[in-house]
Amino acid sequence: MTSSHCHHNIILIQLDKALVVQYEVEASILGEGGDPMLGERKEGQKIIRVKSLSPSTDVGALARKVVEECRLIPLSRLPQVEHLLHYLQSRRPAEGKVDQSSQLLRPRELTPFEGLEVGEEASISQVERYVELLYEGLPEKIRGSALLLQLARNPDNLEELLHNETALGALARVLREDWKQSVELSTIIIYIFFCFSSFSQFQAVVSHYKVGALCMAVVEHELRRHDLWKEELSKKNKAVPEQGSLRRDQEKAVRKYRSLLAKQEQLLRVSLYLLLNLAEDTRTELKMRNKNMVGLLVRVLDREDPELLVLVLSFLKKLSIFLENKNDMAEVDTVQRLARFVPCDHKDLLNLTLRLLLNLSFDSGLRTKMVEAGLLPKLTALLGDATHRQVAMWILYHISVDDRSRSLFAYTDCIPQLLQMLYDHGEEKMDIELISFCINLAASKKNAQIMCEGNGLKMVMKRALKMKDCLLMKMIRNISQHDGPTKALFIDYVGDLAAQMAAEEEEEFVVECVGTLGNLTVPELDWELVLREYNLVPYLKDHLKPGSAEDDLILEVVILVGTVSMDDACAAMLAKSGIIPALIELLNAQQEDDEFVCQIIYVFYQMVFHQATRDVIIKDTQAPAYLIDLMHDKNTEIRKVCDNTLDIIAEYDEEWGRKIQSEKFRFHNNQWLDMVESRQAEEGEAYLYDNDNDRTDLFYSADGITPGDGSISPDFYNDLQSQNGEDPPAG
C-alpha cells in the first residue's frame, strides 16, 4: 500500500504579478500493519501568473478560480490567496526611472519570429514525440524544435528538460549538422538553449553541448552572408534602369533582402544573447575573446535594428572593462562606428553608447579618436539633456585631460553651459565632476578667455571667496596663469586674495590664493602697496622657514616672492627684511627638490636685476657660491636660470666674475680630460685584444730566407738543409 501527503506554502513574488506555491510531496510505502516502511520526500514549486489582474478585477472570483485550477492549493487556503491578490492589486509600481535597456533585454521578451507558430500547444508529457520529429525531414525538425521551444520558454519546465539528455542531445546534434540549412531551425534550437543560459545554474548544460562555439560560428557565417547580399544588391542597383521589368525585379530583390535580413537579425540576436549570458563566466569570456568576439560584435554595429544594436552595445560594454578587449576595440575602429549613435532618438541605444564610450575614454588613443570622429560637439550638446548629462560630462572630462584636445572646447558651447551649471548650484556644494571639468578647461588660454567674458570671472571669484571653495579657487588659479588680457582682470581682486593670507583660512584654500597671486606678473599692479597695506612681508618671511607649513604652501610663497621681486621697491623691501638668508636656508633644506631649487634661484635672478638687492646678494650673502655649486646641476631648467643669474653677477662684480669664469673653465677642462682619458682607454683595449695576424708584413722570418708571410712552410726549410748535407734540427 502506498500513501502520499502534500504540504504546501504560498508566498508572493514582489517583482511580477504572480503567486508561487511551494509544496512538499511525501510518498510512503505502508506495511501490513499500516506502518510506513519506506518513504521519500520531494520539494517543488509552481508559479501561478495572474497577468490579467487589474484595479477593476474581481479579486474574490479570481482567487476561487486559482484554487479550483491549482490542485496543490486546498480550499482552506482561499482566504490567504484572496489576501495576496488584494495586495498585488493595490501595490503601486516602484517610482522613479527604470533602466529601459534592462527592460528591453529581459530574456522572456525574446520571441521567435513570425511564421514559426505550429498551431499546437506543447505538453511536457509529449516530449518524446517531439524528439522523434527531430529525426525526420527539415519541416518536421522545425516543428519538433518549435514545440520544444514552447516548453523551454516556461521556466517551470527547464529542470525537467534538463534531465532529458535524449532531447538535449538530439537538439545539439541537429544544430551542429543542419545550422547552415535553415535559419529558422537554427534560431529555434539556439533559442531553446538560450532559455537555459538565462539561469546561471543551467549554463553548464549549454557549455556541455558546445552550443557557445556553434553560436560563434553561426554569427561569423551570417555576417559573411550579409556582406555578400549587400554586394550583390549594390551590383543590381548600378545595373538596373529607372523603369521597366528590370526595375521591378530589383524591387523584388530588395523586398527579399529585407525579409532575409529580418530573419538573420533574429538569429543574430538570440545567438549573441546566449553568448552574453555565457560570458558571465570570465573563463568562457576569455575563450570568446580568443575567437575574435570583439571583431564580430563591432561588425554588427553597422546594422539598423535597434534591439539588436542594444544587445551588441550591452555585450561590448561588458567586454570593455578588460584591457585586452579594449585594445581589440581600438584596432577595429569601434569609436568611429559608435559616433553615428550620438545622438539618436532611441534612449536605450544612446545610453549604452555613452557608457561604452565612457569605458573606452580611459585610453588616451581612443580619446583622440573620439575627437577625430566629431564626438566633441555632439557630447557637448548632450549637456543640456538631464537624462544623459552626467555620462556625457564624464566622457568630456576625460577628453579634457589631453592638452591637444582641451583647446578644442573653445569652439563649442560647452564652457557657457558649464558656467551656467556653476551659477545654478547657488550655495549648494558642487558636483566634483563639474568643477574638475572646469579646472581642466581653465588650463587652456582660449578657454580661460571665454570663462572671463562678461561677468564670468566676477561671478566665479565671488562664489569662491564666499564659499571658501578650494576647487573653485584652483580653477581661478588656472585662469590666472595665462598671459594676455585675462591677467589684467585680476587686479580688482588682488586685495581680496591677499586678505585670505592674513585671515588664517584653511591652508588648502590659502595655497590656491597665494598661487593665484604668484601668477599675476602684471606691470600695472602696485605690489609695494599690496605688501604694505596687508602687511605681507612678515607672513612671507615666516612661511619660508622649513617646516613652517606644508611644502605646497611654502613653494607657492617662494613663487610669490619671485613675482613680487620684479618690482624694484618690493625687492628692496624684501632684501631689508632678511628674506634672502631665509631663502638660502630653505635652499639647503630642499636641495633634493628640483622645483624648490629652481624657484628659489629664480628669486635670486629677479633680485640681481635691481641695484639695491644686487649689492645685498653679492656682498652680504653666500648666494653666488650656492649658484656656482648649482651651475652644473642635472636639471636643465636649474642650469639655465643659474647661468643667467651668474652672468649678471659676473657683469657687475669683477671678483665673483673671475671665480665664475674659473669654475666654468675648470668644469670644461675636467670634461675634456675625461673625454681624452675615455678615448685612450678605448684605444688601449683595442690594442690589447685586437687580432693582427692578418698583418704578415710585420712578421720576422727565422733566418731571413723564409718569407714572413707564411707562404713557405717550415718543411721546405728542412728539405733545403738536407739537400745541402746538413742535418735538420732535432724536433
Side-chain angles (χ1 to χ4, degrees), residues 281-548:
D281 185 342
T282 53
R283 293 170 299 181
T284 304
E285 183 178 316
L286 180 59
K287 292 178 182 178
M288 295 180 189
R289 187 255 169 182
N290 293 335
K291 293 186 177 182
N292 193 30
M293 187 74 240
V294 169
L296 296 177
L297 290 170
V298 172
R299 288 172 63 186
V300 181
L301 289 177
D302 295 331
R303 302 299 183 103
E304 300 296 334
D305 180 51
E307 293 185 355
L308 178 60
L309 290 171
V310 165
L311 174 60
V312 170
L313 288 170
S314 300
F315 207 155
L316 285 171
K317 184 170 75 73
K318 180 185 185 305
L319 295 174
S320 65
I321 63 175
F322 291 99
L323 178 65
E324 297 82 1
N325 295 329
K326 183 266 297 178
N327 292 339
D328 290 344
M329 293 179 199
E331 292 176 2
V332 290
D333 297 331
T334 307
V335 171
Q336 288 81 344
R337 285 180 161 94
L338 293 174
R340 73 185 183 101
F341 302 127
V342 182
C344 68
D345 296 332
H346 198 289
K347 291 185 178 180
D348 302 308
L349 189 59
L350 178 56
N351 182 50
L352 284 166
T353 301
L354 292 175
R355 293 191 175 276
L356 175 56
L357 287 171
L358 176 61
N359 287 357
L360 299 179
S361 67
F362 286 89
D363 183 280
S364 59
L366 289 172
R367 290 197 297 269
T368 302
K369 289 185 178 181
M370 291 178 193
V371 175
E372 293 172 351
L375 279 169
L376 194 57
K378 294 181 178 181
L379 292 168
T380 298
L382 290 176
L383 292 176
D385 186 341
T387 306
H388 305 292
R389 177 184 300 148
Q390 195 71 50
V391 184
M393 186 180 296
W394 290 340
I395 300 170
L396 289 170
Y397 167 75
H398 285 168
I399 294 174
S400 71
V401 171
D402 302 321
D403 293 336
R404 289 186 299 176
S405 302
R406 191 180 298 139
S407 60
L408 299 177
F409 284 88
Y411 304 102
T412 70
D413 62 344
C414 180
I415 296 172
Q417 290 190 68
L418 294 178
L419 292 179
Q420 186 60 49
M421 292 179 199
L422 288 178
Y423 305 150
D424 291 343
H425 273 82
E427 296 186 2
E428 298 176 3
K429 186 176 180 180
M430 283 185 294
D431 296 334
I432 188 70
E433 295 87 359
L434 173 60
I435 186 60
S436 301
F437 188 16
C438 292
I439 290 170
N440 282 357
L441 293 181
S444 167
K445 185 175 181 178
K446 290 182 180 179
N447 295 337
Q449 290 173 349
I450 295 174
M451 290 177 178
C452 293
E453 289 178 356
N455 292 323
L457 180 60
K458 180 180 179 181
M459 298 293 291
V460 174
M461 183 71 76
K462 182 179 178 181
R463 176 185 169 85
L465 293 173
K466 182 178 180 180
M467 305 298 296
K468 308 300 179 187
D469 192 321
C470 300
L471 293 177
L472 201 54
M473 187 56 70
K474 188 184 290 289
M475 171 187 165
I476 294 171
R477 177 181 170 184
N478 277 359
I479 296 174
S480 69
Q481 70 183 342
H482 304 294
D483 295 327
T486 52
K487 279 194 177 182
L489 299 174
F490 281 85
I491 295 178
D492 296 337
Y493 308 104
V494 169
D496 295 325
L497 294 170
Q500 307 304 314
M501 299 167 62
E504 298 184 358
E505 297 291 347
E506 184 182 351
E507 187 171 292
E508 189 178 353
F509 182 71
V510 175
V511 166
E512 303 304 332
C513 293
V514 176
T516 304
L517 289 171
N519 287 333
L520 302 183
T521 52
V522 185
E524 297 84 3
L525 183 55
D526 188 348
W527 277 112
E528 183 183 11
L529 179 62
V530 175
L531 292 181
R532 293 186 185 281
E533 185 172 343
Y534 293 95
N535 194 28
L536 293 183
V537 175
Y539 177 91
L540 296 175
K541 186 178 178 182
D542 291 342
H543 284 79
L544 288 175
K545 296 177 182 177
S548 60

